[in-house]
Amino acid sequence: MAGRSNRTGDNQGEYGEEWARDLRIQFEQMLRTKRLNEFEESRTNRSRLNSPDPREPASSSNLRAPSVGPPSRPSSSYGHDHGSRHGSPALPPSYSSLRNLPKIPTPPAAHDRESQKFRNLLVGLSLTPTKYENPGLLDEALQAIPLDRIYSEAEEESQVLQAQAESMGDGRKPEWGYQDCVIRALLRWFKRSFFTWVNNPACPVCLSPTVARGMTQPTPDENAYGALRVELYQCSNQACGAFERFPRYSDVWRLLQTRRGRCGEWANCFSMLCRAVGGRVRWVWNAEDHVWTEVYSEHKERWIHVDACEEAWDNPRLYTEGWGKQMSYCIAFSIDGATDVTRRYVRKSEHALERNRCPEEVMLYIMQEIKNIRRANMSKEDRFRLEKEDSKEDRELRCYVIDSITRAVVRVVPGSSSSASGSGARPPPGPTSSNEDQKLPAEQPGRQSGNAEWVAARGENGRRNQQFQDPRDPSRR
C-alpha cells in the first residue's frame, strides 16, 4: 500500500483526485447518453413492429397481442430484416444486452473436432510441471546448484532492499522478499553460468560452424529422454562434412546433463530448478511458439513473470511491447492446475491474435477440468486456499482489462488532459499500478537470445520488424 500511495503521489500534480473525478463524471455522462439512445431506439423499433400495416385494414386479428412462442436461443439483432412486416412481431434481444452475461463453462461438443484436439493438447501439456515433483530429480538438481553462492547473493540483495525501504521512513515493505531474491540469484546464475543457448551446434569433429539439414528420426535412446524430434546439421567445412544431431529433449534430468537448448529447454530446466529451491512454479505455454516461467511471490502475493532466456524478471509486457509479438493464448500450468493468463501478457488489442482454437466457454471448461484433476486428492483446506488465490488472480487479470479500457477512454474523451498530452506524458495511474511491471514501453528490448537471423525470422526483434508466423508450427520452439 505504501508503494501505491508513493507512486500515486508522484503523479499528483498531473493526475490528482479532481482530475479523476472529472473524468469519471464525463464517462458516466457518455454512458448515460449512450444507454438512453439505445433505449429510445429500441422503443421506436418495438412500436413500429407492433403497429399494424397502414395498408391493411385494422381488425381484431392484427390488433390482438402477439402469442408467445416457445423459448428459443437468444440471437443478435445484427442482420435482422427490419423491412419484413410478416415476421415475428417480437424484437429479438440486441447483442448489447447479452454481451455482459457471464460465460458458462461448457464441454467441447462431440462433433467439434478442433475443440477436442485443443483440449487434448492442453491436458497433455498440463503434465509437464508434474515431473518437477520427483524427489530424486530435485535432489539431483540441488547438487547442480551452487547453493552457497545463491543464498549469499540472495541475503545480500534482501538486506539492501530492506535498508532502502527503511530509509524511506514511511513503514513500507521491501520491494522483494528473501525468497524472491533467491529466485533472482538463481536466474542470474542459470543465464550466465549454467545453461547455453544453441543456434547451430558446432561440428563435433573440427568445431566449425554447421548448416541445418532438416529433421531426422530420433534414436531409441533419444526417444527415451523425450526427444520426439531431432534436428540434423552438417559441418560447413567441405574437408570435414561431419553431421551433428541436436535432439530436442523434454526430459528434465537429461537437460541437467546436456545444459543446452533453446527456449523450450531453458524454461523446462529453469522451472524445475526453481521448484528445487522451494519455489512454487508455473510453466507457461504460448501458442505462438514460446515458453517461460512464473514463480509465486509470497511477499507480493501474486505470480511473477520470469524468462530465463532473457534474464527477465516481472516484465510481462516484454513480448508484446518489446519483441513486437502478437499472442492469442498464454496458459500457465502448475502442479495445482491450469490458468489462462493471456490478459497478463496481452494488454492492448493491437497485440492480440484471434482466439479461434475453441469457444471461450470451452476454454473455461478445460481450465476447470485440469484444476479438478490436479486437486482431486487435496485436503479441503488446500483446495479452499487455492480457490482464494484463483479468485484474487482473476481480479488482478480483470484489472488489466479495466486499465486498458480506462487508458483508451482517456485518449478519446474530449478535453481530457491526456488527450492533448502527445508530448510523451506518462499515462494516468491505472487500477493495477501497484501490481504492474515497472518497465516502460520505451525500455522494452527486442529479443536478446538467439542469433539475429533466427530472431528476425520469428518476428521478435521489435515491433517494426514483426512478421507473421503460423502459431501451430512448433518446429522452432
Side-chain angles (χ1 to χ4, degrees), residues 131-133 137-147 150-151 179 182-183 185-187 189-191 193-195 252-253 255-257 259 265-281 293 295 308:
K131 303 172 184 177
Y132 307 154
E133 304 301 313
L137 176 63
L138 297 179
D139 288 342
E140 188 82 13
L142 288 175
Q143 295 179 18
I145 300 174
L147 293 176
I150 298 299
Y151 290 135
Q179 183 62 24
V182 170
I183 301 297
L186 183 70
L187 174 65
W189 165 79
F190 187 87
K191 166 73 173 180
S193 306
F194 185 72
F195 226 70
V252 191
W253 183 87
L255 294 177
L256 287 175
Q257 317 304 319
R259 303 184 181 186
E265 292 88 348
W266 279 66
N268 198 9
C269 189
F270 178 74
S271 299
M272 186 271 297
L273 294 178
C274 290
R275 189 73 188 101
V277 297
R280 292 176 56 194
V281 300
T293 306
V295 179

Side-chain angles (χ1 to χ4, degrees), residues 105-108 360-370:
T106 307
E360 291 302 315
E361 295 83 355
V362 174
M363 188 67 187
L364 292 174
Y365 175 86
I366 297 173
M367 296 295 98
Q368 191 59 49
E369 179 185 20
I370 297 175

Side-chain angles (χ1 to χ4, degrees), residues 50-63:
N50 289 336
S51 61
D53 193 326
R55 292 175 298 178
E56 297 177 358
S59 67
S60 60
S61 60
N62 56 27
L63 293 178

Side-chain angles (χ1 to χ4, degrees), residues 396-409:
E396 176 196 341
L397 297 176
R398 288 176 185 272
C399 279
Y400 292 132
V401 179
I402 295 172
D403 183 53
S404 176
I405 295 174
T406 302
R407 293 166 189 267
V409 169

Side-chain angles (χ1 to χ4, degrees), residues 382-430:
D382 288 341
R383 288 199 301 270
F384 181 71
R385 173 180 56 82
L386 291 173
E387 287 172 1
K388 287 182 63 177
E389 285 184 7
D390 293 341
S391 178
K392 184 174 182 179
E393 182 178 28
D394 186 61
R395 290 194 298 270
E396 176 196 341
L397 297 176
R398 288 176 185 272
C399 279
Y400 292 132
V401 179
I402 295 172
D403 183 53
S404 176
I405 295 174
T406 302
R407 293 166 189 267
V409 169
V410 167
R411 289 195 296 268
V412 300
V413 170
S416 65
S417 58
S418 66
S419 63
S421 60
S423 58
R426 294 186 62 179

